[in-house]
Amino acid sequence: MLRWIVFIVIYITLGIYTLQAIKASTRYPWVYYAYMALSLFVLGNFIYQFTMGDAPGRVLSVPKSYAFGLLLAILTFMLITIVFLFSEDIFRFLTASYHKIFGGTKEFSLPARRRFLSTLAMGIAALPFSALLYGMIKGKYNFKVLKYNLEFDDLPNSFDGYQITQISDVHSGSFDNREKIEYAINLINKQKSDVLLFTGDMVNNMAEEMLPWKDLFSTLNAKDGKFSVLGNHDYGDYVSWETEEAKSNNLTDLKNIQKDMGFDLLLNDSRYLQKGGDRIALIGVENWGRGGFKKAGDLKKAVSNINKDDFKILMSHDPSHWEDQVLKDDYHYHLTLSGHTHGMQFGIEIPGWIKWSPAKWRYKYWAGVYEEMGQMINVNRGFGFLGYPGRVGIWPEITVITLKKRSLT
């Protein structure tokens, strides 16, 4: 209760402070009232969803995620505005102090706020505020197909031009627009890739979240099959289960759902993809993540049925696994496919110019293709979204990778 009281006091204080900028920049009372009504609605909805709203699991439900998203947007507006106001208030205080000490009057009087600065503050604050709202309305379904041609010296000849579609981090428990998901599924199928690989996190908390979308994902197709691995959210670790049996049954249900949708789920296992007289090894490990994330991945077990000299593609949900274990392994993994980071669903990307996200502060390999020690990884930015119910600058991704035989010349 004390934490809620402190939070409410801080929020209202920030709101009142921001109101000063609004009053300085406009003379229309309805603007003040609209701002106050919106601020109170966002606060009330957030308190309601996080106190009385009932949803299992530590991962935010759809109503809670929207409450969080709206709060994040308006707090961003307030804080940016306050940075300008506070800077001006320091100047106003110093000016008033100077006039009191050295001026002809002994009265301490603050100069009036400058309308221009208040308007500028709100104009700048409106940009991230609008972006966060756009991210919740449009950005989260702004699917992008990202295509890469990756060259390898020892790619078997028959696989020159072989096309892979990778998707990751579906997080079906966050979906709220069937039409947009249907569009994305059709977009995946339009790529007409040889194989489809899904690199984990089908759900947020529970297997049942996938049931409303099962029929759509069943229509995904690739001539050489669909393969998948588990991500950290797929194990049900973020739900307080009544019994361990219930948790185990949930994982079994998810495995069966993936099977029903036509996915071959690789649990520390491998398959061979055959083309002409050549073959490449496809390896899938269970989740292995640095820190407190589940470490069920077992590389040794996963490659027990393949040869060391095979051309190898590894599916591993968390890119920290590649950094911490895969690169150091005795086997050479030509290409690893991961996800997990979501690119933090926020950042700035202009191809060929800039790629930035707060995700880089936690993950060295957070989005796109990287190469180390002659081995490559692609970190998919994610198909779905989690927590904040939107995406800004880091759009939902469908990766299309074409394997190429590097020319000797």
Side-chain angles (χ1 to χ4, degrees):
M1 176 60 73
L2 179 61
R3 286 183 297 177
W4 279 111
I5 294 173
V6 172
F7 167 72
I8 293 169
V9 169
I10 293 174
Y11 181 90
I12 292 176
T13 301
L14 295 176
I16 292 173
Y17 201 35
T18 304
L19 184 61
Q20 308 312 306
I22 298 176
K23 287 184 175 180
S25 61
T26 181
R27 299 292 182 264
Y28 296 104
W30 69 266
V31 178
Y32 319 153
Y33 298 135
Y35 164 76
M36 289 188 287
L38 176 62
S39 300
L40 291 174
F41 168 77
V42 170
L43 175 63
N45 183 50
F46 182 81
I47 293 173
Y48 171 77
Q49 295 297 343
F50 280 81
T51 55
M52 301 178 68
D54 182 27
R58 284 180 278 160
V59 178
L60 300 185
S61 63
V62 172
K64 284 184 177 180
S65 66
Y66 275 98
F68 169 72
L70 289 172
L71 181 76
L72 180 64
I74 200 160
L75 279 176
T76 300
F77 178 83
M78 289 179 180
L79 290 172
I80 293 176
T81 302
I82 286 170
V83 168
F84 282 85
L85 291 189
F86 187 67
S87 300
E88 184 186 23
D89 284 345
I90 292 175
F91 177 79
R92 291 166 67 215
F93 178 81
L94 292 175
T95 301
S97 299
Y98 176 84
H99 285 297
K100 177 175 175 60
I101 297 171
F102 301 105
T105 176
K106 295 300 181 182
E107 293 183 7
F108 183 82
S109 177
L110 290 173
R113 290 192 182 279
R114 287 173 290 180
R115 183 177 183 182
F116 168 76
L117 192 60
S118 294
T119 303
L120 177 65
M122 290 197 303
I124 294 175
L127 294 177
F129 175 77
S130 301
L132 287 168
L133 292 182
Y134 172 84
M136 291 191 286
I137 299 169
K138 295 286 188 179
K140 63 187 177 184
Y141 294 129
N142 186 23
F143 294 98
K144 300 294 183 183
V145 177
L146 301 185
K147 296 186 177 183
Y148 303 99
N149 291 325
L150 302 184
E151 295 186 340
F152 302 89
D153 293 324
D154 53 349
L155 179 71
N157 292 329
S158 298
F159 284 88
D160 186 23
Y162 194 79
Q163 186 168 293
I164 300 166
T165 290
Q166 179 199 2
I167 58 173
S168 191
D169 299 88
V170 165
H171 289 291
S172 55
S174 299
F175 293 158
D176 56 8
N177 189 319
R178 187 175 180 85
E179 182 180 345
K180 295 295 185 182
I181 302 304
E182 186 173 0
Y183 163 78
I185 296 297
N186 290 334
L187 188 59
I188 293 170
N189 284 333
K190 283 181 181 178
Q191 306 313 308
K192 298 186 182 301
S193 289
D194 295 290
V195 68
L196 175 65
L197 305 180
F198 170 65
T199 47
D201 277 0
M202 186 72 76
V203 297
N204 294 345
N205 287 310
M206 307 172 77
E208 65 186 35
E209 297 166 6
M210 193 61 198
L211 294 179
W213 314 99
K214 180 179 173 181
D215 60 329
L216 285 181
F217 280 81
S218 295
T219 64
L220 290 170
N221 62 79
K223 63 180 182 179
D224 289 344
K226 303 183 292 188
F227 300 86
S228 62
V229 293
L230 297 176
N232 55 297
H233 283 267
D234 294 325
Y235 294 90
D237 287 342
Y238 306 117
V239 178
S240 297
W241 300 93
E242 291 185 2
T243 64
E244 280 299 315
E245 182 182 10
K247 181 179 180 180
S248 177
N249 289 341
N250 175 75
L251 182 57
T252 299
D253 290 343
L254 182 63
K255 292 176 181 178
N256 289 334
I257 288 172
Q258 293 210 29
K259 182 179 180 181
D260 292 343
M261 292 189 299
F263 282 93
D264 185 355
L265 178 61
L266 302 183
L267 302 170
N268 296 321
D269 204 352
S270 63
R271 302 286 186 270
Y272 277 109
L273 301 175
Q274 195 83 27
K275 191 172 177 65
D278 295 320
R279 66 182 187 176
I280 61 177
L282 177 64
I283 303 129
V285 294
E286 295 197 50
N287 189 80
W288 192 102
R290 183 187 300 151
F293 290 106
K294 181 178 286 294
K295 294 176 175 60
D298 187 337
L299 267 179
K300 298 301 181 186
K301 179 180 178 183
V303 299
S304 59
N305 294 319
I306 68 170
N307 299 317
K308 186 175 183 178
D309 295 332
D310 286 329
F311 186 94
K312 293 177 282 296
I313 297 175
L314 172 66
M315 301 166 64
S316 180
H317 177 69
D318 192 320
S320 67
H321 185 223
W322 188 69
E323 183 180 358
D324 291 354
Q325 291 202 334
V326 177
L327 286 174
K328 303 170 184 176
D329 195 76
D330 293 337
Y331 278 27
H332 181 91
Y333 296 89
H334 298 75
L335 175 61
T336 297
L337 302 177
S338 298
H340 182 66
T341 72
H342 298 207
M344 208 164 280
Q345 298 169 209
F346 177 85
I348 301 171
E349 279 200 87
I350 303 175
W353 290 86
I354 185 173
K355 183 177 77 173
W356 178 89
S357 165
K360 67 178 295 182
W361 296 332
R362 176 161 187 181
Y363 295 97
K364 182 178 180 180
Y365 311 102
W366 61 273
V369 175
Y370 304 86
E371 183 173 2
E372 298 282 356
M373 300 170 60
Q375 303 176 70
M376 293 187 186
I377 185 173
N378 179 64
V379 184
N380 184 285
R381 293 159 181 80
F383 183 91
F385 48 93
L386 187 71
Y388 165 62
R391 284 178 175 266
V392 179
I394 304 294
W395 311 119
E397 175 181 346
I398 298 163
T399 310
V400 177
I401 295 173
T402 302
L403 305 179
K404 304 292 290 185
K405 178 86 171 183
R406 184 176 284 120
S407 173
L408 296 178
T409 59

